[in-house]
Amino acid sequence: MTTTPVEALLAAARRHGADHADAILVRDESESALVRKGVPEGIERSESVALGLRVFRGKRAATVSTSVLNEAEFDRLAEQACAMALVVPEDQYAGLAEAALQGRFDAAGLDLECSSAPSMDDLLARAREAEDTALSFEGITNTNGASAGHGRTSVMLGTSAGFFGAYSRTGHSTSASVLAGEGATMQRDYAFRSAVHLEDLESPAVIGREAAERVLARINPGRPRTGTYSVIYDPRVSGTLLGHLVGAINGAAIARGTSFLKDSLGKQILSAGLTVHDDPRRIRGAASRPFDAEGCAALPLDLIADGILQTWLLDSRSGRQLNMPTNGRASRGVASPPSPSVTNLHLAAGTLSSEALRSDISEGILITELMGSSVNMLTGDYSRGASGFMIRNGEIAEPVAELTVAGNLKDMFARMIPGSDLMFRQSVNAPSIRIDGMNIAGL
């Protein structure tokens, strides 16, 4: 059997005195085309490869990386890593994952590789169609361009304890960004879609139309009066709330004591009936994987069930710190050690349509864009710039901008009401989310 770069690097680490080691190789290939007013402005093709080695000598660990896949260099790299590991401080929680799988593994059954490989002409045609569709709408005054791309990422991971795994994932994307209005009233908006398989990607015309309709709806925005409102987060931005939740239940943050949810395990943090689920086994999922960055089984997991926090996000190190087993959530780059993270995460849909979700709001705000961030993960205090639309008597009304939405995440999580409009378009997905009693700073 031909030796892979990962296996060769592990062998070099053993020769130079490593007690244990793991190695990861990541190879990326991509092509993209950007057009503006129909003229190509950016045609790119990139290929990169990176190889990372982590060695352990007792309770000391060191990580090194290279982009040179030359076995003659592996001895030098392994020697460097082993020498570094002798001089760094001991880490009592360091080590390979005890729960790592044994043997060879791949992504069979996850359907992560698309056979379609669009040519550059195909990408240019897709970008032009998206832009032409957007520009065909009356009121569109300019364009930031449209783009299309595709790529492939391959991952190979091995450990000195007998794990070896490899998988690849493809991706296709289309986007368009246009402007409407003139001068100080000019607005910009966009639409973007990505998918593992080209056949799952919405047509360029759909993406161009969405970009145009979104920006036309934003012309001449006002500012709401400062006050307390019921707020609905559009699905385009509602996933950011899950992002804050993920940060707050990250095992590394819990071990450091730097999360406002550090005492919430087993407690109600969302309304009864709500579920937050992470699924690395989702077929054609944007972040699906057969194993995590430590070679542990990647299995579906309810982080929150019936509103109750079930577990922290754990890799082996944070698990040891908290005296808990890893739940296979380790992620890593080639130049850094593993850390806990999610894969395909979503908040389960509720039963109310987007219309029903706002039907009893006499005056509220639909947030469609967020900017800036002032989120204190120690206290949960939350403040972000936003824009969107007023809600009046249950209907979407005039656009608003230059407002700030503020609250406390712990209180916000407890008041979240999800809509039924969940769609799986990214790695983190959520339906519309209503939160009553949010503080809005405007006029």
Side-chain angles (χ1 to χ4, degrees), residues 226-249:
T226 295
T228 302
Y229 293 83
S230 293
V231 165
I232 295 178
Y233 286 78
D234 183 87
R236 189 158 70 158
V237 295
S238 58
T240 62
L241 297 173
L242 292 189
H244 300 313
L245 173 64
V246 165
I249 64 172

Side-chain angles (χ1 to χ4, degrees), residues 319-343:
R320 293 185 192 107
Q321 289 177 287
L322 298 169
N323 198 29
M324 299 173 70
T326 176
N327 47 32
R329 262 56 197 174
S331 295
R332 67 173 290 191
V334 296
S336 59
S339 60
S341 185
V342 293
T343 57

Side-chain angles (χ1 to χ4, degrees), residues 41-381:
E41 284 202 347
I43 293 177
E44 296 183 359
R45 175 172 176 79
S46 66
E47 294 185 22
S48 66
V49 62
L51 182 62
L53 173 68
R54 183 173 58 143
V55 302
F56 300 93
R57 305 192 77 169
K59 288 296 183 180
R60 293 180 169 90
T63 302
V64 294
S65 64
T66 183
S67 58
V68 179
L69 297 189
N70 182 341
E71 288 197 28
E73 292 293 310
F74 291 173
D75 271 305
R76 182 195 62 78
L77 195 68
E79 183 179 19
Q80 177 188 359
C82 290
M84 289 168 58
L86 289 176
V87 298
V88 299
E90 285 195 350
D91 177 359
Q92 61 178 314
Y93 304 110
L96 299 178
E98 296 87 348
L101 300 165
Q102 297 288 310
R104 304 179 82 87
F105 298 86
D106 58 27
L110 297 184
D111 199 10
L112 299 182
E113 294 188 74
C114 175
S115 60
S116 299
S119 67
M120 187 57 70
D121 286 341
D122 294 332
L123 297 178
L124 286 166
R126 205 160 81 215
R128 286 192 178 104
E129 183 181 353
E131 185 182 56
D132 288 346
T133 300
L135 290 173
S136 70
F137 281 70
E138 184 178 354
I140 300 298
T141 54
N142 208 337
T143 172
N144 283 328
S147 66
H150 73 97
R152 176 185 298 271
T153 297
S154 299
V155 177
M156 187 180 297
L157 175 70
T159 76
S160 59
F163 170 85
F164 182 86
Y167 65 95
S168 295
R169 177 190 296 110
T170 55
H172 300 266
S173 63
T174 309
S175 68
S177 175
V178 289
L179 297 93
E182 300 286 350
T185 65
M186 184 177 291
Q187 296 292 315
R188 176 204 60 83
D189 214 316
Y190 69 95
F192 171 82
R193 294 287 191 278
S194 63
V196 171
H197 284 253
L198 182 59
E199 66 187 28
D200 295 334
L201 191 65
E202 290 173 278
S203 74
V206 168
I207 294 162
R209 181 170 67 249
E210 180 181 319
E213 290 175 346
R214 282 186 175 275
V215 73
L216 290 170
R218 294 179 56 165
I219 293 177
N220 297 320
R223 294 182 69 188
R225 298 187 309 276
T226 295
T228 302
Y229 293 83
S230 293
V231 165
I232 295 178
Y233 286 78
D234 183 87
R236 189 158 70 158
V237 295
S238 58
T240 62
L241 297 173
L242 292 189
H244 300 313
L245 173 64
V246 165
I249 64 172
N250 185 296
I254 300 302
R256 292 192 302 267
T258 56
S259 168
F260 64 93
L261 292 180
K262 63 183 180 181
D263 299 317
S264 297
L265 189 63
K267 296 180 181 179
Q268 190 101 30
I269 64 170
L270 303 186
S271 297
L274 300 193
T275 297
V276 176
H277 185 72
D278 187 54
D279 186 5
R281 307 291 302 180
R282 176 176 290 280
I283 305 301
R284 299 190 178 191
S288 295
R289 61 189 186 188
F291 48 82
D292 79 347
E294 295 182 300
C296 296
L299 300 174
L301 181 66
D302 279 344
L303 302 178
I304 296 173
D306 199 21
I308 296 172
L309 180 61
Q310 303 293 307
T311 184
W312 309 121
L313 289 169
L314 298 170
D315 61 356
S316 63
R317 186 178 187 279
S318 59
R320 293 185 192 107
Q321 289 177 287
L322 298 169
N323 198 29
M324 299 173 70
T326 176
N327 47 32
R329 262 56 197 174
S331 295
R332 67 173 290 191
V334 296
S336 59
S339 60
S341 185
V342 293
T343 57
N344 301 302
L345 183 76
H346 76 274
L347 170 66
T351 59
L352 298 174
S353 68
S354 54
E355 293 79 12
L357 196 63
R358 64 175 186 264
S359 63
D360 65 337
I361 299 177
S362 59
E363 187 176 47
I365 296 174
L366 171 66
I367 294 177
T368 59
E369 187 172 24
L370 292 165
M371 58 214 75
S373 183
S374 177
V375 179
N376 187 326
M377 296 305 290
L378 279 170
T379 64
D381 289 337

